[in-house]
Amino acid sequence: MAVETKQELNPKTTHFEFSGPVGAFVLTFGLPLLVNVLCVCCTKEGCSLAPSHIIAQWKKTPFLTAEVYKVYLLWLAALALADLIVPGQIVDGTELRNGQRLKYKFNGTRVIAILGALLLSRGVATNWQLPELQFIYTNLTQLANASIVTSFAISTYLYISSFFGNKLLALGGNSHNVFYDFFMGRELNPRIGKLDLKLFLEMRPGLLLWVLIDLAMVHHQWLTYGRVSASIVLVTLFQGYYVIEGTFYEAGLVSMIDTTLDGLGFMLVFGDISLVPFTYSLQTRFLADNFVELSWLQIALITGVYLLGIAVFRLSNNEKNKFKQGKTNPGEYTYIETKTGSKLLTSGWWGMARHINYTGDWISSWAYSLPCGFNLVPYYYVVYFGVLLVHRESRDEAKCAAKYGETWTEYKRRVPYKFFPYLL
Ligand code: NDP
């Protein structure tokens, strides 16, 4: 590869997303507020977003005590250590703009097995009255605030450290505007020693805490009512499966747009460690204190929605991964060859809609909220996730249009639907 100057390799960002620096500023302070509000809004009387209710809850809840922050930092440190020392599968990343290919270690299933064994042994030792899970229930808002404070701290470190050394910057995070670049992330793949911060934050502290929060809510319901509802069990199983199954396929992360395109800044850090665990668990938070009974028919219908969504999500993602790795049989699929050498599938799942995998993911999000019945706030996830995926689709569309040019236009002609075949 020809030697490029620093400026050629890291050009200044001129195209802005999220309405530019103003939007980035509003999101940097607005999203943490949303997380905090969603943490305090559910009580035994259901969930309410009325300002008077939220203010009353804030008055009762300390922002963050040293004890809770210590526990949160311990959680982060233990997972970082596990990431470093637990052996795993070594995978080559995609080729970067500077011609480099990073190596990644994926040990998610082993880390989950260790965590599961620890939890199980604590459960047996305490006769299933786990103080750790009760701690999570009691201090949920403080733990969320700990994650918010940590997101700001990590993002500040990342922003400052991106100016030192010969760093490869994200094309979208080098605008020279401090608020915008802080939010979008300047450096593409920051690492501390062997710890890849982006993949670590994306896969460990937030996703695993999401599952732990769900378990803490089930545990609390069991302690309170002496039994657990089918509704909370369903949500916990669905979300737990989504997270654990995701770690089986985590090697696929090397080609995700988060890894290849986005810088690591507040948007990803906060999304990974704060927004995901503390708002995606809103349904079990509601159900922990509100016992919702479901009939067998309702259980069957909700499970059907989940299975449909997860099947579309997993089968379509696997099909694309298999095709990209050249593991499909000749003639099995139709595709278009692009000038970069990559191929775009035009049959199978990817012949139905250009982001059929997002559709599957969104369908399963309904199964997380439906067990909450008619209380509207837990449906936040369906709305938020829908907005996230529509926005993500438009970013990916812009990336592919720039990368593949005419061929992408031809691909869109052959596969005209974005999400739902014959509809949208
Ligand atoms: P995709 O897995 O859809 O990857 C998009 C990329 O795939 C494109 O940029 C292009 O990359 C390639 N591609 C697009 N169309 C084709 C085709 N027809 N044939 C071959 N390659 C194609 O997107 P994401 O990385 O955004 O998402 C991965 C999964 O993660 C999704 O299922 C999504 O739902 C899920 N997700 C979940 C989130 C959550 O919070 N739960 C958040 C974000 C994502 P290339 O340049 O390589 O050609």
Side-chain angles (χ1 to χ4, degrees):
M1 190 191 126
V3 178
E4 291 175 86
T5 65
K6 213 169 163 180
Q7 213 170 6
E8 277 170 339
L9 193 61
N10 293 320
K12 187 175 173 189
T13 305
T14 48
H15 169 74
F16 288 99
E17 298 184 58
F18 302 103
S19 306
V22 175
F25 183 84
V26 171
L27 288 172
T28 301
F29 293 98
L31 288 175
L33 186 67
L34 174 76
V35 168
N36 188 295
V37 165
L38 290 178
C39 272
V40 296
C41 73
C42 295
T43 61
K44 287 187 181 65
E45 285 76 47
C47 306
S48 162
L49 296 175
S52 55
H53 173 69
I54 300 297
I55 291 166
Q57 293 305 311
W58 277 343
K59 285 185 180 158
K60 285 192 220 160
T61 322
F63 179 77
L64 179 56
T65 59
E67 188 208 355
V68 174
Y69 200 39
K70 238 184 328 195
V71 170
Y72 183 77
L73 291 181
L74 209 67
W75 165 251
L76 274 187
L79 287 175
L81 190 67
D83 204 85
L84 287 171
I85 63 174
V86 175
Q89 178 196 5
I90 306 293
V91 175
D92 281 327
T94 53
E95 190 176 325
L96 302 171
R97 293 199 315 280
N98 58 4
Q100 204 190 359
R101 250 179 220 277
L102 296 172
K103 288 212 178 295
Y104 292 92
K105 181 172 79 172
F106 292 104
N107 57 9
T109 41
R110 286 184 180 152
V111 172
I112 286 184
I114 295 169
L115 206 66
L118 281 174
L119 208 64
L120 216 63
S121 60
R122 285 293 295 149
V124 172
T126 60
N127 198 20
W128 302 103
Q129 315 254 329
L130 283 90
E132 294 84 356
L133 291 186
Q134 196 53 25
F135 180 89
I136 293 177
Y137 171 84
T138 313
N139 299 296
L140 190 72
T141 308
Q142 284 199 58
L143 286 168
N145 290 336
S147 74
I148 292 169
V149 170
T150 307
S151 297
F152 276 101
I154 295 178
S155 309
T156 306
Y157 161 78
L158 289 168
Y159 180 76
I160 294 172
S161 68
S162 70
F163 287 95
F164 296 93
N166 238 348
K167 303 284 171 60
L168 182 65
L169 304 183
L171 291 176
N174 187 26
S175 71
H176 302 186
N177 178 289
V178 59
F179 291 119
Y180 190 74
D181 294 349
F182 174 85
F183 181 76
M184 297 299 290
R186 290 188 86 236
E187 193 178 341
L188 193 59
N189 301 110
R191 290 183 165 193
I192 299 181
K194 287 195 169 165
L195 185 71
D196 184 274
L197 289 174
K198 194 191 269 182
L199 263 64
F200 168 69
L201 293 171
E202 181 142 346
M203 291 309 288
R204 301 286 178 268
L207 283 178
L208 298 182
L209 189 53
W210 177 16
V211 178
L212 275 189
I213 294 173
D214 281 354
L215 291 175
M217 298 304 147
V218 176
H219 181 255
H220 178 80
Q221 194 187 65
W222 180 67
L223 291 182
T224 314
Y225 296 90
R227 64 192 181 108
V228 289
S229 62
S231 48
I232 202 167
V233 171
L234 276 190
V235 181
T236 305
L237 285 178
F238 293 162
Q239 298 186 342
Y241 179 80
Y242 182 77
V243 171
I244 293 167
E245 192 250 16
T247 61
F248 283 108
Y249 296 99
E250 63 183 358
L253 279 177
V254 295
S255 58
M256 252 177 103
I257 54 175
D258 301 25
T259 315
T260 58
L261 199 69
D262 291 330
L264 187 60
F266 188 78
M267 175 178 77
L268 283 184
V269 175
F270 173 80
D272 291 342
I273 71 170
S274 204
L275 200 109
V276 166
F278 294 99
T279 71
Y280 285 21
S281 56
L282 186 64
Q283 298 87 15
T284 52
R285 169 71 197 88
F286 161 74
L287 293 168
D289 287 314
N290 297 270
F291 205 95
V292 175
E293 304 274 14
L294 295 176
S295 67
W296 283 108
L297 180 65
Q298 286 168 326
I299 293 173
L301 287 175
I302 294 169
T303 306
V305 171
Y306 182 70
L307 292 178
L308 172 71
I310 206 84
V312 174
F313 163 78
R314 180 46 60 206
L315 294 174
S316 58
N317 278 323
N318 281 1
E319 186 178 67
K320 174 155 70 70
N321 291 343
K322 217 169 116 190
F323 178 75
K324 280 200 178 277
Q325 291 160 9
K327 290 182 182 164
T328 50
N329 299 321
E332 194 179 346
Y333 293 101
T334 58
Y335 57 83
I336 314 179
E337 195 117 28
T338 71
K339 58 179 189 262
T340 67
S342 13
K343 293 166 186 160
L344 294 170
L345 267 171
T346 53
S347 65
W349 290 103
W350 298 86
M352 291 187 209
R354 299 197 296 276
H355 264 113
I356 194 82
N357 54 344
Y358 288 4
T359 311
D361 219 350
W362 186 70
I363 291 173
S364 39
S365 75
W366 277 93
Y368 301 164
S369 301
L370 284 168
C372 300
F374 292 104
N375 199 302
L376 282 185
V377 179
Y379 286 80
Y380 142 86
Y381 182 65
V382 175
V383 178
Y384 165 81
F385 201 43
V387 172
L388 179 142
L389 291 176
V390 167
H391 177 251
R392 203 173 167 90
E393 193 278 338
S394 69
R395 295 183 78 209
D396 193 50
E397 176 81 24
K399 181 209 104 173
C400 290
K403 184 173 172 187
Y404 298 127
E406 291 283 289
T407 325
W408 187 253
T409 314
E410 171 58 16
Y411 171 60
K412 280 170 66 174
R413 198 189 59 75
R414 290 205 207 171
V415 186
Y417 301 101
K418 285 183 183 176
F419 302 109
F420 291 95
Y422 306 106
L423 276 178
L424 181 67

